[in-house]
Amino acid sequence: MLFTQGSVALVTGGSRGIGRAVALDLAREGAHVIVNYARSERDAKEVVALIQEEGGSATSVQADVTDEEAVRHVFRQIRAEHGRLDVLVTSAGITQDRYLITMSLDQFRGPLDTNLIGTFLTCREALKLMRHRRSGSIVTLSSSSGLDGGFPGQTNYVASKGAIIAFTHALSNEAAPHGVRANVVAPGFVTTDMTRKVPTPIRKQYESRIRLGRMGRPEEIASIVSFLASEKASYMSGSVVVAHGGGLG
Ligand code: NAP
């Protein structure tokens, strides 16, 4: 097990996709997992039930990560119920693809709000809680598109994901004196609802160029996140781990 008894982890966007796989993996590795969701209550409850069936420990909590007061409330609850937070994984994220020339200001702001502002709000509250125990690990979810520009129609998403990398670097500098680590995982194309939304011709074309010849599975990202979150990665902070099947050929 990667985590000692009593360890507490919060996974934003833990109801579906990569966050779901991360929640299951952290629980299997011994952490009590708080599964955050915005709208998918049934999915979040299912993740909690699955973890409990496997003998793990989990609860779910509704909060829109763009809502400052809702995020603060979640952390007040964690402080009251557990008095600690060992791991934060920020997986809540959205795409809102559209070519730039037809993109409205609101459409540009959508992914920035959820992906970047949501990451800022949750990391800020997590650092406040973690620094008291002088330990903790934050793992943010960026995307390889934040490094290579993604595909056409994703300027808003790519801007948010590039900013998450820069933000996490800066966060790791501020967090280090408090004994807290912060790292980024930047996945390529992973089979989740997010990529199922991409028009089939674009998805197929992209997939055919991945050097390993296939899209990633959420579990393959989750194992990297758990490693970074754990003491096995005790000398890693400010690192970006890219998991994109070798990239595009
Ligand atoms: P997904 O399957 O669409 O799941 C998105 C998750 O984010 C859901 O649990 C959703 O919860 C949650 N969420 C969305 N808006 C939220 C909000 N305002 N507040 C709280 N939770 C919110 O997406 P995914 O593919 O797992 O992506 C997870 C993360 O990995 C994202 O940050 C994404 O950018 C990143 N990523 C994904 C890929 C990929 O290929 N899939 C590649 C690179 C990076 P509700 O359903 O409850 O709203």
Side-chain angles (χ1 to χ4, degrees), residues 13 15-16 18 38-40 64-65 91 142 157 161 188 190 192 195:
S15 52
R16 293 187 290 114
I18 293 172
R39 287 162 291 272
S40 305
D64 181 332
V65 295
S91 192
S142 176
Y157 179 74
K161 291 294 167 179
V190 180
T192 67
T195 46

Side-chain angles (χ1 to χ4, degrees), residues 11 34 48 56 68 80 86 102-103 122 130 135 164 196 216:
V11 183
I34 302 162
V48 170
E68 185 172 22
D86 301 272
T102 64
M103 191 180 286
T122 46
M130 288 171 169
S135 84
I164 286 173
R196 276 186 275 276

Side-chain angles (χ1 to χ4, degrees), residues 12-19 36-41 63-66 90-94 114-115 141-144 157 161 186-195:
T12 72
S15 52
R16 293 187 290 114
I18 293 172
N36 159 253
Y37 66 97
R39 287 162 291 272
S40 305
E41 183 177 7
D64 181 332
V65 295
T66 67
T90 60
S91 192
I94 59 163
T114 302
N115 305 351
L141 262 297
S142 176
S143 162
S144 58
Y157 179 74
K161 291 294 167 179
F189 236 34
V190 180
T191 50
T192 67
D193 293 340
M194 183 176 276
T195 46

Side-chain angles (χ1 to χ4, degrees), residues 3 7-10 84-89 123 125-139 171-172 174-183 225-238:
F3 302 100
S7 299
V8 178
L10 170 65
R84 66 191 273 182
L85 183 69
D86 301 272
V87 175
L88 168 69
V89 181
C123 289
E125 299 310 309
L127 183 56
K128 286 187 206 165
L129 192 47
M130 288 171 169
R131 71 189 172 140
H132 290 301
R133 299 185 71 241
R134 295 199 56 75
S135 84
S137 178
I138 295 171
V139 183
L171 167 64
S172 71
E174 283 194 28
H178 299 292
V180 175
R181 297 181 297 107
N183 293 287
V225 172
S226 291
F227 164 73
L228 288 173
S230 78
E231 278 304 296
K232 290 230 176 199
S234 53
Y235 201 54
M236 287 182 79
S237 197

